[in-house]
Amino acid sequence: MKVVALVSGGKDSCYVMMKCIQYGHEIVALANLLPVDDSVDELDSYMYQTVGHQIIVSYAECMNVPLFRRRIRGSSRHQKLSYQMTPDDEVEDMFVLLSEVKRQIPSITAVSSGAIASDYQRLRVESICSRLGLVSLAFLWKQDQTLLLQEMIANGIKAILVKVAAIGLDPSKHLGKDLAFMEPHLLKLKELYGSNVCGEGGEYETLTLDCPLFTNARIVLDEFEVKLHSPDSIAPVGVLHPTIFHLEKKGSTDSSSLENEPGLVFEVQGDGPNTTEATRQLDNGIVDHTRTRVNLSKTGKDNTFSIFCWLEDFSESPTEKCPFGVPSRSTIELPLVQAGLGKAYVEVLVANDQSKRVLHVQSISSWAPSCIGPYSQATLHKGVLHMAGQLGLDPPTMNLRNEGAIAELNQALTNSEAIAEAFRCSITSSAILFVVFCSERTKESERNQLHEKFVSFLDLAKSSRRVSSVMDPIFLYILVPELPKSALVEVKPVLYVKEDSEDDDETRKDQLGEGDFSCWGYKPEKWHQDCLQTRVVDGKICVNVLSISAEVMKKLDEPSGDEEQQLKRVSRFCVYLLNKTLSENSFSWQDTTSLRIHFSTSLGVSVERLSDIFETAFKVLNEMSGGVIFNGLKEAIFNLVPVLGAGNSSASLDNIITCELFSLRS
């Protein structure tokens, strides 16, 4: 991609340009924001570094790349973490600046920034990119700062400190000092005080005087002044004000060409394009139902529940994104035609509060894959981390691993772990459930090895992290016709993240409460438990995966039974066993947030008939309880999902019916 680089002069914005080139992109323009008054070194800005801005004009000559500059007129008016367009905010100056760059160089498709740990800055850059239809590149995002500093120095970033504002840093001693010279001291401050070695906590700022991208010349700072902003005895604050500097040519560069060529520097003024037209989000398409075949399902829980429907036809229309954060999602191809359904199946987990935490990183980085649509990497709600389905994408290139399904699986798990770490947890110790979607294009030899490789990955990760307390997650493998980007594997982890405000609930009795589970004549047998995987977490979460294979169906069959009677017995057995397990673990059906019934298209039964059969089974159970279990619910509480196959292991995807039940205590 052709990239315009946001440059402050700091080491980060310069090094991310080097990373852009490493990953095959081309820097075709620079963009810089500076104070209105040239004599002012630093603004009271939450967004921009401006110390050393007097020297940035030389970057155009050093790199032989056009530099676009705009003076900052706005201020920090919108200070909430997630940015929304706000008149006279300093972020709108960036919008005007990049709009003009895009107008003059239409081939530009991406913007680079040196964000490492600041969500505040990253989200604002992403907001501007979204409004302008540009891709945000942030290859330094979430990188280990100690390793990153070493990497910058080793790869030729020559920068000096131009601001200090932390304990252990003295303006009179450290301003103007080279970054390589300061590295040991910065590492020592990290050990003593927990300082950020890359200055992400505002400890210091830098100005790059030379780097491998400066092919024409390097900057030589001849004289500077130290300006003390705060004489605090513990953490004095001071900045470096450059007074005299010159360019020193490299190689065969003609020194006469280094005198600030006017054709390379552009001052951007004015108010920019019409903001109403320019701020349309390009990735906000939502289904506008024009002709639907709705089969609505709603679980009985009032505050968190799932709904689903099938869509016969649809069209896209723009809409506003959810102000509380776009949801996490898994996208797969289902055998809808074989099942006699419409063109799309949509399932949504709904909550009626605003307590969710959303991780939504749109920038391409080396951390984890950026979102390739209007969704988030993960959503945390009531202690449950719902992660988006993860493909085996290499984060900085967003390309699929091309070595096969096992390589894709390893990369998808690596990506999942990076996302989990953002919530201070790990897939190795906090996972409750792994749903693994396998494309039918996956070679059988590779598919048979997936589960073994999955377990090996987790075991290796546990040993390297020295995890002492781990959960025993449930594995559910689902065979589907196709996955996004023609991937072979997609992993969807569900994790438990205990929140500080959570208190352990007292164990409460189930609504049935009598332990009589002999309905329909079923008596507990050992093989029943072989069909069921159950995990209960802190008395708050109960996850059940019930597998009905052809072998189990034979055990439930009667000699005189036809196919219809056989399905009725299967549905009643599923409802009986799930009800028994919920009750034994002091959960009720009212705690259900979702119940998916995955059914193999090999059954050859219509969705309507299968839905009627399961609805009847639930109605009978409700009648047996005196009508208290479902409390007058009119809709079905389950979602029917057609699949090609499912199973607890990738080597055995022969389930006819698989029930996936998730229950959560309020």
Side-chain angles (χ1 to χ4, degrees):
M1 290 186 284
K2 294 186 183 297
V3 180
V4 52
L6 290 170
V7 291
S8 64
K11 65 186 187 318
D12 305 334
S13 61
C14 287
Y15 191 58
V16 78
M17 286 193 288
M18 294 174 62
K19 300 298 285 186
C20 286
I21 292 173
Q22 176 185 334
Y23 291 118
H25 306 295
E26 180 185 1
I27 307 296
V28 298
L30 308 175
N32 170 249
L33 291 124
L34 70 158
V36 172
D37 187 346
D38 283 334
S39 65
V40 173
D41 291 292
E42 185 177 38
L43 297 177
D44 183 18
S45 170
Y46 290 4
M47 187 67 192
Y48 306 118
Q49 172 189 325
T50 58
V51 180
H53 66 84
Q54 299 88 347
I55 287 179
I56 305 302
V57 68
S58 301
Y59 280 27
E61 284 74 31
C62 290
M63 294 180 63
N64 194 33
V65 170
L67 169 67
F68 294 79
R69 308 189 83 188
R70 177 176 172 83
R71 299 186 183 274
I72 302 168
R73 302 177 185 177
S75 58
S76 304
R77 292 180 176 270
H78 192 288
Q79 297 179 7
K80 292 182 179 179
L81 183 61
S82 183
Y83 181 74
Q84 293 181 344
M85 186 185 70
T86 303
D88 299 322
D89 190 280
E90 61 184 354
V91 176
E92 297 306 312
D93 287 299
M94 184 197 301
F95 175 77
V96 175
L97 174 63
L98 294 179
S99 296
E100 179 60 19
V101 177
K102 186 179 178 183
R103 187 189 70 81
Q104 292 201 32
I105 312 178
S107 61
I108 285 177
T109 55
V111 176
S112 72
S113 68
I116 297 176
S118 172
D119 283 305
Y120 185 92
Q121 294 175 348
R122 174 186 59 79
L123 287 167
R124 278 152 177 74
V125 173
E126 290 178 351
S127 174
I128 297 301
C129 287
S130 182
R131 289 162 60 183
L132 292 173
L134 299 171
V135 176
S136 172
L137 303 177
F139 292 116
L140 310 187
W141 181 249
K142 291 292 184 184
Q143 298 302 291
D144 180 279
Q145 292 187 40
T146 299
L147 297 178
L148 186 57
L149 181 63
Q150 295 171 353
E151 190 180 312
M152 289 180 184
I153 295 169
N155 284 285
I157 292 289
K158 308 294 183 184
I160 59 172
L161 269 63
V162 292
K163 179 184 177 181
V164 295
I167 186 171
L169 292 175
D170 187 334
S172 63
K173 293 180 181 179
H174 298 130
L175 287 176
K177 291 294 189 292
D178 184 77
L179 190 61
F181 172 81
M182 290 296 299
E183 182 187 11
H185 186 63
L186 295 172
L187 293 173
K188 183 179 179 181
L189 294 182
K190 177 190 176 184
E191 290 182 13
L192 291 174
Y193 310 115
S195 301
N196 294 278
V197 295
C198 280
E200 284 300 291
E203 293 88 349
Y204 70 92
E205 293 177 2
T206 60
L207 179 66
T208 302
L209 301 179
D210 193 15
C211 73
L213 299 182
F214 290 8
T215 54
N216 282 358
R218 62 179 59 86
I219 301 168
V220 178
L221 181 60
D222 300 304
E223 296 181 15
F224 63 86
E225 299 174 357
V226 172
K227 294 186 176 182
L228 195 63
H229 284 187
S230 169
D232 187 276
S233 59
I234 297 177
V237 179
V239 301
L240 179 153
H241 177 77
T243 54
I244 301 176
F245 65 94
H246 71 277
L247 299 185
E248 184 178 276
K249 70 176 182 177
K250 290 183 177 181
S252 59
T253 305
D254 182 2
S255 59
S256 63
S257 67
L258 302 178
E259 301 300 323
N260 292 344
E261 294 184 33
L264 284 177
V265 181
F266 303 87
E267 184 89 8
V268 177
Q269 300 178 350
D271 296 327
N274 181 285
T275 54
T276 302
E277 194 64 28
T279 54
R280 289 185 178 177
Q281 307 290 332
L282 299 184
D283 61 349
N284 266 359
I286 193 171
V287 172
D288 176 22
H289 301 205
T290 55
R291 186 165 58 89
T292 61
R293 175 186 177 189
V294 178
N295 188 325
L296 184 65
S297 164
K298 177 181 180 299
T299 53
K301 201 169 179 63
D302 290 332
N303 54 4
T304 308
F305 55 89
S306 66
I307 58 176
F308 88 106
C309 65
W310 304 311
L311 307 179
E312 290 284 359
D313 199 3
F314 55 89
S315 61
E316 289 189 356
S317 62
T319 186
E320 292 296 323
K321 286 184 178 178
C322 173
F324 310 115
V326 291
S328 307
R329 75 181 186 194
S330 289
T331 303
I332 58 174
E333 181 180 316
L334 294 173
L336 298 176
V337 175
Q338 295 94 312
L341 300 178
K343 294 184 177 180
Y345 166 90
V346 179
E347 180 182 322
V348 183
L349 185 63
V350 182
N352 67 355
D353 59 44
Q354 301 172 15
S355 63
K356 70 177 182 180
R357 284 175 52 200
V358 172
L359 179 64
H360 184 212
V361 179
Q362 295 174 281
S363 300
I364 294 178
S365 70
S366 299
W367 162 72
S370 65
C371 297
I372 56 177
Y375 63 94
S376 299
Q377 278 92 351
T379 302
L380 178 63
H381 183 251
K382 295 188 180 299
V384 181
L385 185 62
H386 302 274
M387 202 176 291
Q390 295 299 308
L391 303 178
L393 293 169
D394 176 46
T397 63
M398 291 297 289
N399 293 329
L400 271 176
R401 294 287 299 270
N402 58 10
E403 302 96 330
I406 293 171
E408 285 188 28
L409 174 68
N410 286 332
Q411 185 65 60
L413 293 175
T414 300
N415 297 340
S416 300
E417 181 66 4
I419 294 169
E421 287 176 352
F423 291 88
R424 299 182 180 179
C425 63
S426 168
I427 62 171
T428 62
S429 57
S430 303
I432 312 167
L433 170 68
F434 287 108
V435 179
V436 185
F437 299 103
C438 302
S439 166
E440 67 173 337
R441 293 185 299 101
T442 307
K443 295 178 182 177
E444 186 175 356
S445 59
E446 278 198 300
R447 196 169 71 216
N448 292 342
Q449 299 179 57
L450 283 177
H451 185 66
E452 179 186 344
K453 297 297 183 181
F454 199 137
V455 174
S456 297
F457 180 97
L458 295 180
D459 288 343
L460 181 62
K462 287 174 189 175
S463 61
S464 63
R465 291 174 59 93
R466 297 181 180 178
V467 177
S468 57
S469 176
V470 299
M471 296 182 189
D472 183 18
I474 293 174
F475 293 90
L476 173 59
Y477 292 84
I478 297 176
L479 188 64
V480 297
E482 189 59 277
L483 292 170
K485 288 183 170 284
S486 297
L488 299 175
V489 179
E490 179 175 336
V491 180
K492 187 182 189 313
V494 180
L495 283 68
Y496 175 57
V497 182
K498 189 166 185 176
E499 298 173 300
D500 295 336
S501 60
E502 287 187 4
D503 297 319
D504 291 335
D505 289 339
E506 294 183 4
T507 301
R508 62 184 174 88
K509 299 295 182 182
D510 180 77
Q511 289 171 326
L512 292 181
E514 299 176 357
D516 180 12
F517 309 114
S518 59
C519 55
W520 292 305
Y522 291 116
K523 297 291 185 182
E525 296 186 39
K526 185 180 181 303
W527 68 267
H528 290 181
Q529 297 309 310
D530 296 336
C531 306
L532 188 66
Q533 298 182 86
T534 300
R535 299 293 180 272
V536 178
V537 184
D538 282 359
K540 300 177 182 297
I541 299 169
C542 183
V543 182
N544 293 278
V545 173
L546 173 58
S547 301
I548 305 297
S549 63
E551 182 180 349
V552 172
M553 288 186 73
K554 288 180 181 179
K555 291 180 179 179
L556 297 171
D557 199 7
E558 294 179 1
S560 60
D562 58 15
E563 184 177 308
E564 180 87 1
Q565 292 301 317
Q566 186 182 45
L567 286 175
K568 287 181 179 179
R569 279 189 292 275
V570 168
S571 68
R572 291 177 176 180
F573 176 72
C574 291
V575 172
Y576 149 75
L577 199 52
L578 291 174
N579 180 67
K580 175 177 178 290
T581 304
L582 286 175
S583 186
E584 288 176 341
N585 290 285
S586 299
F587 282 79
S588 78
W589 288 100
Q590 298 298 327
D591 296 318
T592 300
T593 59
S594 66
L595 171 55
R596 298 185 189 94
I597 300 177
H598 307 277
F599 68 96
S600 172
T601 52
S602 64
L603 259 180
V605 63
S606 70
V607 173
E608 290 85 354
R609 189 68 197 119
L610 192 60
S611 179
D612 288 343
I613 289 171
F614 270 93
E615 280 189 35
T616 299
F618 278 108
K619 286 177 181 177
V620 171
L621 176 66
N622 197 42
E623 291 170 1
M624 289 180 176
S625 70
V628 300
I629 287 185
F630 301 114
N631 200 20
L633 276 179
K634 296 180 180 179
E635 300 95 348
I637 69 163
F638 56 86
N639 304 340
L640 285 174
V641 185
V643 296
L644 298 180
N648 302 332
S649 169
S650 59
S652 179
L653 300 176
D654 56 359
N655 284 359
I656 304 298
I657 288 177
T658 307
C659 300
E660 180 190 348
L661 174 63
F662 198 99
S663 304
L664 175 67
R665 291 259 182 84
S666 300

